[in-house]
């Protein structure tokens, strides 16, 4: 199969045609690129799992353009779900609610709940509107690889596997949506993201952050290896330990690279590095592109620990998985 990469009106028109014909299309969102299909078309949804090589017990997120899109998708909107939607949608958040009857079980991996997201990215919204149906989508990477934040990342993983990639430039947020389960009494964060626990607590009074044993695959990255570059990756706390990890790797004959914020890069004595910028927002936006670049130019990645506060905590949630938990 030939994989087209298109922009603008032409891309949206062609994308919507393909979706209506039961095909899979990659599209941009503010978080990461998604691999979408008509959420009500069981056969189309199965193609997503095939293209990604994703286990079928890992559910997808259903994307809508506006509140009208909720019709038929959910059977109950709890007070907390309502409050989250009012404050944070459209935006980088997914709310888990009780599913409607029409949603195929392949979308929810057999669960009686469904994840709903309303992207703020203008291209995603136009695309979903043009399709005229909710779009089920996970991130547009091969299962376990790094999530894509531009069309080129998607092409590297999906060339020959899907008919079309809609190119909408770089994802502004850069990591996957915050996932909140609002189907239970106390809303629970299943995956941290750019909308933090503190921000949610302001609206909800209290949220639970996920901790404890994993029984079923409820949130990504808990049961499966995720966000992993193709080479060994470690996390280093501060410039000094990053430098040491780099030198140790080089002494073993490896070609290392350090991924860090600007002020840390300045302390690396000219060692090969990828500069993410200084602010938390820049670090979040650039982290996946840096991991993509890192695995290309090096065979050992040392990533700085950015701390566990606010959005950096969400970035570290991904980076620690990339590193398989390995800190030096
Ligand atoms: P991705 O963003 O590529 O990891 O794909 C969507 C993610 O949303 C999945 O990995 C799920 O963990 C999560 N998700 C979707 N629906 C549900 C649900 N009903 N309950 C819990 N998590 C969900
Ligand atoms: Mg994913």
């Amino acid at each position: 199969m030939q994989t087209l990469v298109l922009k603008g009106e032409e891309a949206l028109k062609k994308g919507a045609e393909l979706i209506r014909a039961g095909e899979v299309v990659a599209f941009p969102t503010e978080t990461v690129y998604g691999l979408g299909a008509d959420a009500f078309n069981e056969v189309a949804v199965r193609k997503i799992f095939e293209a990604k090589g994703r286990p079928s017990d890992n559910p997808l997120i259903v994307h809508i353009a506006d509140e009208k899109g909720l019709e038929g998708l959910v059977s109950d909107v709890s007070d907390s779900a309502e409050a989250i939607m009012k404050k944070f949608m459209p935006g980088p958040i997914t709310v888990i609610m009780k599913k409607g009857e029409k949603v195929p079980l392949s979308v929810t991996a057999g669960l009686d709940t469904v994840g709903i997201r309303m992207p703020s990215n203008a291209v995603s919204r136009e695309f979903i509107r043009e399709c005229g149906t909710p779009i089920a989508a996970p991130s547009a990477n091969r299962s376990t690889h790094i999530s894509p934040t531009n069309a080129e990342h998607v092409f590297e993983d999906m060339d020959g596997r899907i008919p079309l990639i809609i190119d909408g430039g770089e994802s502004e947020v850069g990591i996957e949506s915050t996932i909140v389960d609002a189907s239970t009494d106390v809303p629970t964060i299943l995956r941290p993201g750019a909308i933090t626990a503190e921000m949610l607590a302001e609206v909800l009074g209290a949220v639970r952050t996920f901790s404890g044993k994993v029984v079923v695959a409820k949130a990504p990255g808990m049961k499966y290896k995720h966000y992993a570059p193709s080479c060994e990756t470690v996390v280093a706390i501060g410039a000094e330990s990053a430098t040491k990890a780099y030198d140790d790797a080089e002494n073993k004959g490896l070609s290392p690279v350090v991924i860090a914020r600007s002020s840390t890069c300045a302390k690396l004595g000219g060692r090969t590095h990828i500069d993410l910028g200084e602010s938390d927002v820049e670090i979040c936006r650039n982290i996946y592109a840096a991991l993509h670049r890192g695995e290309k130019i090096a065979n050992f990645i040392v990533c700085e620990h950015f701390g566990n506060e606010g959005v950096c905590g969400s970035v570290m949630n991904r980076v620690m998985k990339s590193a398989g938990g390995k800190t030096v």
Side-chain angles (χ1 to χ4, degrees), residues 39-41 71-73 99-105:
F40 293 133
N41 182 337
E71 261 171 54
L73 283 181
K99 91 180 219 9
E101 269 173 32
K102 271 172 70 190
V103 182
L105 287 172

Side-chain angles (χ1 to χ4, degrees), residues 204-255:
L204 301 171
V207 285
R208 206 169 13 213
T209 55
F210 187 90
S211 61
K213 243 175 91 184
V214 182
V215 182
V216 284
K218 262 211 144 183
M222 291 172 154
K223 195 165 150 190
Y224 302 104
K225 184 178 160 204
H226 256 81
Y227 321 111
S230 54
C231 65
E232 191 180 347
T233 302
V234 299
V235 173
I237 299 166
E240 211 173 297
S241 53
T243 304
K244 185 172 179 310
Y246 182 104
D247 291 347
D248 288 350
E250 205 170 48
N251 289 337
K252 282 188 210 149
L254 295 166
S255 311

Side-chain angles (χ1 to χ4, degrees), residues 32-33 52 54 58-62 94-97 107-109 111-116 137-141 147 176-177 179 181 190-191 217-222 224 226-227:
V32 300
Y33 272 63
K52 265 186 83 90
R54 182 186 183 100
N58 199 358
L60 310 177
I61 292 170
V62 179
T94 298
V95 183
I96 308 292
M97 298 185 236
V107 169
T108 65
L111 297 170
D112 64 353
T113 53
V114 61
I116 304 289
S139 53
N141 50 286
S147 300
E176 298 83 351
S177 58
I179 300 182
D181 188 347
L190 301 181
R191 173 171 77 184
K218 262 211 144 183
M222 291 172 154
Y224 302 104
H226 256 81
Y227 321 111

Side-chain angles (χ1 to χ4, degrees), residues 308-328:
N308 291 318
E309 289 300 309
V311 76
C312 281
S314 305
V315 171
M316 288 316 297
N317 167 269
R318 302 341 190 249
V319 170
M320 289 310 289
K321 283 170 189 154
S322 295
K326 196 161 173 209
T327 309
V328 293

Side-chain angles (χ1 to χ4, degrees), residues 25-27 32-36 52 138-142 146-148 153-155 157-158 162:
V25 173
F27 65 102
V32 300
Y33 272 63
L35 195 59
K52 265 186 83 90
S139 53
N141 50 286
R142 293 281 279 274
I146 311 163
S147 300
H153 296 158
V154 180
F155 190 78
D157 270 20
M158 291 294 158
I162 58 172

